[in-house]
Amino acid sequence: MYSVILHGRRLVQLQKWRHLRFVVQNGSAFSNSYSSASATDLSSRDARKVKNFTVSYLVGSLGLSKKLAESISKKVSFVNKGNPDLVLSLFRSYGFTNSQISSIITDYPRLLLIDAEKSLDIKLQFLESRGASNPELTQIVSTVPKILGMKEGKSLGRYYDFVKEIIEADKSSKYETLCQPLPEANRQGNKIRNVSVLRDLGVPQRLLFSLLISDAQPVCGKENFEESLKKVVEMGFDPTTSKFVQALRAVYRFTDKTIEERVNVYKGFGFAVEDVWAMFKKCPYFLNSSEKKIGQTIETLKKCGLLKDEVISVLKKYPQCIGTSEQKILNSIEIFLGLGFSRDEFITMVKRFPQCLILSAETVKKKIEFVVKKMNWPLKDVVSNPTVLGYNLEKRTVPRCNVIEALMSKGLLGDTGSELPPMSSVLVCTDELFLKRYVRNLDNKELVLELMTIYTRGRVSS
């Protein structure tokens, strides 16, 4: 009886969705189609209108934060809500919750631009026809939304079944090996076999499924995959991290001869062999950089005022800098100079925290304004502790400073009672040490509770 009730509810939902589709498609000539708009195809004014519409829609229809919506709008944008409304309604008709739909669109926003009736509905019907229950369907699609980007048919069904098996096996408290039959020796079979091997090594679902769905991955081969995997494991990469997969891609892409040539390029610029491999452990993608790009980065950093040995040291600390455009690096100097730092102070910060070179102007200005103008720490404190520019403002800096301000307002800090502590003692330490230093060591239990509320409220609200 219960299954009959569920089936009836499902039919009602589908009827509502199909009615909405009819209304949207026939309501006006303008809403008869939707369009994906790129800023390169429109005037800057029109592009802003399209972006603003997209952001407003994502915030209003999915409850996303404005920051997240703006990030998604860089990947997809549209000039009316016709098709996106149909897509969201279709998901709801299949029993997806609002939370699941938000997660799906966040992970794979292009679904908002796919034809709801001629593509998405057909694929969801196909998966249902193969016996997928409603809870199972919603869970798997929510976990791997890109599966709906695949063509309907044998491949879609097989990948769905494989994802389902992994999810079910991982639910068990006792680790279970997969029961997939030996796959045939083709591209699809290689992917399933290789992903199974990676799962056995401990690679988490979020990384496994991205490898499974994408075609431009090392898991499509056989012999090369096995050789590459052995090398990455021997290098000591942790299979539970994304760097493991990045290293696998890099090693898979290059032959031993090519890797040797890349290492020799870095040696020619003054890096020791052990330096190169240490940098590879930090950022496997850095081997992709050409000799020309490496040279350009080194020369640009010299123009900033760094000596050659200092450039080598900076790149060893943060190899992600390699490949950063000359203009971006020079712009970063202007940003810091405009905020009151001297060129020597900027160089000092780069040597201590090379990430300064790639931070956006908005990020730098926002964080400097908070710690300097609002909290009254001097610029020299930022020069001494440039890592504060890499901390999450809302989740780390602001909650801690809220506690400090509360203590100062009560006259409980320093000799004067309202003395601002050093920046390093507030922001650079661990959460545990911060709480021990400024909250938990207080004798007044009610005050401890009040400060903990201030601290946790700031972290949660952000």
Side-chain angles (χ1 to χ4, degrees), residues 16-250:
K16 289 181 178 178
W17 172 73
R18 292 194 171 102
H19 174 71
L20 174 63
R21 173 178 58 81
F22 177 81
V23 171
V24 169
Q25 290 182 343
N26 294 279
S28 70
F30 179 71
S31 64
N32 191 43
S33 64
Y34 70 93
S35 62
S36 170
S38 168
T40 57
D41 300 327
L42 302 167
S43 68
S44 59
R45 182 178 178 183
D46 287 341
R48 282 195 300 272
K49 288 177 63 177
V50 172
K51 179 181 177 180
N52 291 339
F53 180 89
T54 303
V55 170
S56 177
Y57 181 87
L58 294 172
V59 172
S61 299
L62 294 169
L64 303 182
S65 67
K66 185 177 180 182
K67 184 176 181 180
L68 179 56
E70 288 175 344
S71 175
I72 292 174
S73 71
K74 296 176 183 178
K75 301 174 184 177
V76 298
S77 55
F78 37 88
V79 295
N80 71 75
K81 63 180 184 177
N83 197 76
D85 271 352
L86 288 175
V87 171
L88 300 187
S89 296
L90 176 64
F91 278 127
R92 293 187 181 104
S93 74
Y94 276 88
F96 289 86
T97 65
N98 289 336
S99 176
Q100 287 174 325
I101 295 172
S102 296
S103 175
I104 289 169
I105 300 304
T106 298
D107 288 347
Y108 192 38
R110 199 174 73 83
L111 287 175
L112 290 174
L113 306 180
I114 295 178
D115 191 295
E117 180 186 15
K118 296 180 180 179
S119 181
L120 290 182
D121 191 30
I122 291 175
K123 291 173 184 177
L124 290 169
Q125 286 183 36
F126 170 74
L127 294 174
E128 271 197 334
S129 72
R130 302 177 73 259
S133 66
N134 181 270
E136 172 195 299
L137 178 67
T138 56
Q139 180 189 17
I140 291 176
V141 172
S142 299
T143 304
V144 197
K146 285 187 178 180
I147 203 167
L148 292 179
M150 304 181 69
K151 292 182 179 180
E152 178 234 336
K154 184 178 178 181
S155 294
L156 174 61
R158 184 164 187 186
Y159 285 142
Y160 178 91
D161 291 342
F162 185 59
V163 170
K164 173 186 173 182
E165 185 176 357
I166 290 178
I167 290 176
E168 291 300 319
D170 286 352
K171 285 180 181 178
S172 173
S173 57
K174 182 180 179 181
Y175 185 84
E176 296 181 13
T177 56
L178 302 181
C179 301
Q180 286 275 336
L182 188 65
E184 59 268 28
N186 57 24
R187 187 179 183 84
Q188 186 185 78
N190 287 339
K191 290 175 76 171
I192 290 177
R193 180 189 61 251
N194 294 340
V195 167
S196 296
V197 170
L198 292 174
R199 176 182 177 271
D200 290 341
L201 280 174
V203 177
Q205 282 185 14
R206 61 186 176 83
L207 299 176
L208 287 178
F209 294 149
S210 64
L211 287 169
L212 182 69
I213 298 302
S214 178
D215 284 332
Q217 302 293 347
V219 294
C220 298
K222 185 177 180 181
E223 289 80 9
N224 286 351
F225 169 80
E226 294 170 355
E227 293 174 5
S228 301
L229 181 61
K230 182 180 178 181
K231 291 175 184 176
V232 172
V233 170
E234 289 175 348
M235 289 177 188
F237 282 92
D238 182 355
T240 64
T241 66
S242 59
K243 285 183 181 178
F244 182 90
V245 175
Q246 293 171 12
L248 181 61
R249 288 171 174 161

Side-chain angles (χ1 to χ4, degrees), residues 300-319:
T300 301
L301 291 177
K302 286 181 180 179
K303 289 180 183 178
C304 295
L306 289 162
L307 302 176
K308 182 178 179 180
D309 288 347
E310 292 173 335
V311 171
I312 299 297
S313 177
V314 165
L315 296 181
K316 282 163 59 176
K317 283 183 181 179
Y318 197 66

